[in-house]
């Protein structure tokens, strides 16, 4: 793999990362070396089963939910090895949003936003709570739509609103990095474009890593792109470069729709 | 590719009348069989109401069971039998509360354990043992509770012994209900909790259990209604008591035990029916409540 755009002062650096779902099984992610730029959107693309979700989940160690998983290599957040951090601390610094909106069904919109604090038993004053809820909902452009129904269940919202609520929930902890696993694949085109606009807005404050199946989405919003194929990181670089002048023939074939 | 026209098969309409007839016959058959299925419960309820309603008044709920002499005097004077089944009602409630305190936490914990370890061999073993436990005759559980608790802990018949037997009966039902409920909760909710940096045990306590509340409470209520009418294990463990008892180490009455006592006393026949009606109504109410909860509190 070539990597000509050397990234200065990366927020995340992935070094020789290999992941297998079972001991001795085929690697789902093979020897990946990547540096992620701060305050930018990095998209991970590739056909189904290429390991892009596995790579994304490894960044906040959600992949460890599979008990038999085997991980080699390191991931550094700034200079700290995340494999040595506690998952509880790590996941507060690196938030995650999933494919399908998953607000907690028993909680109100307000409680959903503040869920990270509530569930972790972190005590904050009511004014601070109100402030975090308002700020987080404003950040995802949901405040005006829900400010009169904050104490209704989050599951009454539309799919797109629910997904923005889930992003707000991840933002409430003020993480440094937000990981999104195909965040718009369950949404309609209008909701999708709202989430995309939101991500572009959010990169001013946060670093965003996004898995997407949708190439035009990657082209529209991402600054850097990775192309993965069968566990290998085939190509990584500035999105504009990759889409106009891919260096690898596999990338070109994928981008032009010859497979995938 | 050339699209080929698909030839529609010709459907004959000549036998349409005989088809309609068959349809009608089948519909009638279904209605008759459904009526046959629900008729036992209708007949039972009808009989209980006709024979038992006469005895049901305020005293029935507030007074303890009468002795045979009081009953005989009342009958010979042509009056209804005095007294009620307050000792039985309180005893049943007391036993069920004690049994629930034991069975609910243990059952839910085991159910969650099975859900978290679906494919593991020891989980399968526990699941099978729990199924076998469900098939153990209740009188055997009564004997076991007699041996463990009556003989060794309370040194005499006691509410505790009875509730242990009932708790063992409730366990498999709660375990199964918990596991099935947890399976229905989308895995994405667990991920959402963990991704917020919430420790695993808190995800279970504060996310999964509240989300599965309706399933869990339905299972628990059904397991309670299952043990409410148990008589055999209580005969060997709580024995019965003529007065209201709230002491775990003392003999306690229960509605099904009272029914058995009334059955053995020729003067108390009328009370059999009213007590049975009460028990039946109690079980029916619990079932209806559990159905309501599962319809109303459904979050998943």
């Amino acid at each position: 793999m070539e990597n000509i755009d050397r990234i200065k002062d990366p927020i995340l650096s992935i070094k020789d990362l290999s992941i297998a779902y079972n001991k001795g099984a085929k690697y789902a992610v093979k020897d990946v070396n990547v540096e992620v730029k701060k305050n930018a959107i990095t998209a991970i693309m590739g056909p189904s089963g290429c390991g892009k979700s596995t790579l994304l989940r490894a960044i906040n160690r959600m992949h460890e939910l599979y008990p038999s998983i085997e991980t080699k290599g390191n991931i550094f957040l700034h200079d700290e090895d995340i494999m040595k951090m506690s998952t509880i601390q790590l996941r507060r610094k690196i938030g995650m949003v999933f494919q399908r909106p998953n607000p907690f069904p028993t909680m109100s919109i307000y409680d959903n936003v503040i869920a990270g604090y509530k569930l972790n038993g972190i005590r904050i004053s009511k004014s601070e709570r109100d402030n975090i809820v308002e700020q987080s909902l404003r950040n995802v452009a949901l405040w005006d739509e829900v400010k009169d129904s904050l104490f209704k269940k989050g599951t009454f919202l539309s799919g797109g609103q629910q997904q923005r609520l889930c992003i707000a929930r991840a933002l409430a902890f003020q993480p440094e990095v937000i990981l999104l696993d195909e965040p718009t694949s369950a949404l309609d085109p209008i909701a999708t474009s709202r989430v995309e606009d939101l991500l572009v807005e959010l990169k001013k404050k946060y670093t965003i890593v996004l898995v997407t199946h949708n190439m035009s989405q990657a082209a529209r919003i991402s600054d850097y792109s990775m192309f993965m194929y069968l566990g290998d990181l085939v190509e990584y670089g500035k999105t504009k470069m990759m889409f106009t002048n891919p260096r690898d023939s596999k990338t070109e074939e994928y981008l032009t729709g010859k497979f995938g | 590719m050339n699209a080929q026209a698909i030839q529609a098969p010709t459907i004959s309409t000549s036998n349409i009348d005989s088809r309609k007839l068959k349809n009608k016959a089948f519909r009638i058959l279904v209605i008759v069989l459904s009526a046959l299925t629900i008729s036992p419960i209708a007949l039972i309820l009808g009989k209980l109401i006709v024979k038992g309603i006469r005895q049901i008044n305020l005293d029935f709920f507030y007074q303890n069971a009468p002795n045979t002499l009081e009953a005989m005097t009342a009958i010979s004077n042509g009056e209804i039998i005095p007294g009620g089944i307050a000792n039985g009602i309180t005893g049943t409630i007391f036993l069920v509360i004690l049994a629930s305190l034991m069975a609910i936490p243990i059952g839910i914990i085991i159910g969650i354990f099975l859900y978290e370890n679906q494919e593991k061999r020891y989980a399968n073993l526990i699941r099978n043992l729990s199924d076998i436990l469900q098939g153990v005759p209740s009188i055997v559980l009564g004997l076991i509770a007699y041996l463990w608790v009556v003989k060794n802990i309370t040194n005499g018949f006691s509410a505790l012994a009875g509730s242990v037997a009932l708790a063992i009966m409730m366990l498999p039902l709660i375990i199964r209900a918990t596991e099935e409920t947890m399976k229905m909760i989308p895995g994405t909710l667990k991920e959402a909790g963990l991704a917020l940096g919430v420790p695993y045990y808190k995800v279970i306590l504060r996310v999964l259990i509240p989300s599965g509340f309706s399933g869990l409470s339905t299972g628990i209520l059904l397991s309670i209604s299952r043990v409410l009418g148990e008589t055999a294990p209580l005969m060997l463990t709580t024995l019965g008591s003529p007065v209201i008892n709230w002491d775990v180490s003392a003999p306690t009455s229960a509605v099904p035990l009272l029914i058995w006592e009334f059955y053995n006393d020729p003067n108390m026949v009328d009370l059999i029916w009213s007590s049975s009606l009460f028990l039946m109504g109690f079980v029916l109410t619990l079932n209806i409540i559990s159905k309501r909860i599962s319809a109303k509190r459904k979050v998943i």
Side-chain angles (χ1 to χ4, degrees), chain A residues 81-111:
Chain A
D81 187 349
I82 66 155
M83 300 295 171
K84 294 195 181 108
M85 292 165 78
S86 89
T87 50
I88 294 168
Q89 287 300 325
L90 170 69
R91 287 170 189 164
R92 287 178 197 175
K93 289 184 181 165
I94 304 182
M96 190 160 203
V97 176
F98 297 87
Q99 192 168 356
R100 298 192 70 83
N102 53 0
F104 296 122
T106 51
M107 295 185 194
S108 65
I109 293 171
Y110 186 97
D111 285 343

Side-chain angles (χ1 to χ4, degrees), chain A residues 157-224:
Chain A
L157 298 173
S158 74
Q161 288 175 321
Q162 284 188 26
Q163 192 62 302
R164 280 183 282 150
L165 176 61
C166 291
I167 298 175
R169 182 174 65 186
L171 293 182
F173 257 139
Q174 297 294 331
E176 298 181 44
V177 181
I178 307 165
L179 309 173
L180 300 107
D181 191 353
E182 297 182 42
T184 59
S185 65
L187 305 183
D188 65 64
I190 292 169
T192 298
S193 86
R194 295 209 65 169
V195 171
E196 285 179 4
D197 293 346
L198 169 68
L199 293 179
V200 173
E201 194 58 35
L202 286 177
K203 79 174 180 188
K204 291 174 189 157
K205 290 190 209 157
Y206 308 93
T207 305
I208 294 169
V209 183
L210 158 95
V211 161
T212 179
H213 248 109
N214 184 337
M215 279 180 281
S216 53
Q217 179 172 63
R220 274 196 301 273
I221 64 171
S222 73
D223 303 295
Y224 288 82

Side-chain angles (χ1 to χ4, degrees), chain B:
Chain B
M1 230 200 305
N2 278 334
Q4 272 185 342
I6 299 166
Q7 278 242 309
T10 45
I11 299 165
S12 95
T13 49
S14 60
N15 59 354
I16 201 100
D17 283 340
S18 82
R19 282 183 178 196
K20 274 185 178 163
L21 200 70
K22 277 189 223 161
N23 214 9
K24 208 167 201 175
F26 192 73
R27 183 195 293 264
I28 290 170
L29 186 72
V30 169
I31 291 171
V32 168
L33 289 181
S34 312
L36 272 179
T37 317
I38 57 166
S39 61
I41 182 103
L43 289 175
I44 292 170
L45 263 182
K47 192 80 180 171
L48 288 182
I49 291 171
V50 169
K51 299 202 101 171
I53 201 78
R54 206 165 69 92
Q55 282 289 336
I56 291 189
N57 48 33
L58 264 185
D59 282 355
F60 184 75
F61 299 99
Y62 285 120
Q63 306 253 320
N64 289 339
N67 60 35
T68 184
L69 195 68
E70 288 166 344
M72 202 166 68
T73 324
I75 291 170
S76 59
N77 290 341
E79 296 160 3
I80 59 167
I81 304 172
I85 56 166
N87 52 338
I89 297 173
T90 54
T92 290
I93 291 171
F94 187 40
L95 288 171
V96 164
I97 290 174
L98 284 177
S100 301
L101 286 178
M102 289 183 253
I104 293 172
I106 299 176
I108 289 182
I109 289 170
I110 297 178
I112 290 172
F113 173 81
L114 292 183
Y115 159 72
E116 288 294 332
N117 298 283
Q118 282 299 316
E119 304 296 321
K120 299 272 171 60
R121 268 177 70 189
Y122 48 83
N124 269 325
L125 183 71
I126 292 173
R127 197 176 292 118
N128 288 335
L129 288 178
S130 147
D131 286 349
I132 294 170
L133 188 59
Q134 197 170 355
V136 173
S138 58
I139 186 91
V140 176
L141 295 177
L143 275 171
I144 297 295
Y146 176 80
L147 202 66
W148 286 350
V149 187
V150 175
K151 279 284 192 186
N152 288 312
I153 297 177
T154 51
N155 293 318
F157 296 106
S158 64
L160 184 68
S163 56
V164 166
L166 296 186
I168 298 175
M169 293 193 68
M170 287 168 73
L171 260 184
L173 295 167
I174 296 177
I175 292 173
R176 189 34 77 90
T178 308
E179 192 187 356
E180 294 304 319
T181 306
M182 289 293 145
K183 274 191 200 163
M184 277 167 46
I185 297 174
T188 53
L189 279 185
K190 195 166 100 183
E191 286 182 335
L194 291 172
L196 286 172
V198 181
Y200 185 61
Y201 77 95
K202 275 197 184 161
V203 172
I204 288 179
L205 286 179
R206 308 273 308 265
V207 177
L208 296 187
I209 291 184
S211 302
F213 178 83
S214 75
L216 292 181
S217 52
T218 307
I220 289 166
L221 284 179
L222 288 180
S223 76
I224 288 174
S225 69
R226 166 85 184 74
V227 299
L228 268 183
E230 276 302 327
T231 323
L234 297 185
M235 288 173 167
L236 301 176
T237 50
T238 66
L239 193 67
S241 150
V243 290
I244 294 172
N245 168 53
W246 295 109
D247 178 359
V248 288
S249 61
T252 305
S253 190
V255 180
L257 278 180
L258 279 181
I259 296 175
W260 171 245
E261 282 166 23
F262 296 152
Y263 174 80
N264 285 320
D265 188 330
N267 294 318
M268 307 269 214
V269 179
D270 285 354
L271 282 174
I272 299 175
W273 297 104
S274 48
S275 312
S276 303
L277 180 61
F278 171 79
L279 197 59
M280 184 90 184
F282 201 179
V283 171
L284 222 57
T285 313
L286 277 185
N287 274 293
I288 291 168
I289 291 174
S290 74
K291 289 237 159 66
R292 277 282 166 82
I293 291 176
S294 61
K296 256 199 176 162
R297 288 282 314 246
K298 210 170 188 80
V299 290
I300 37 170

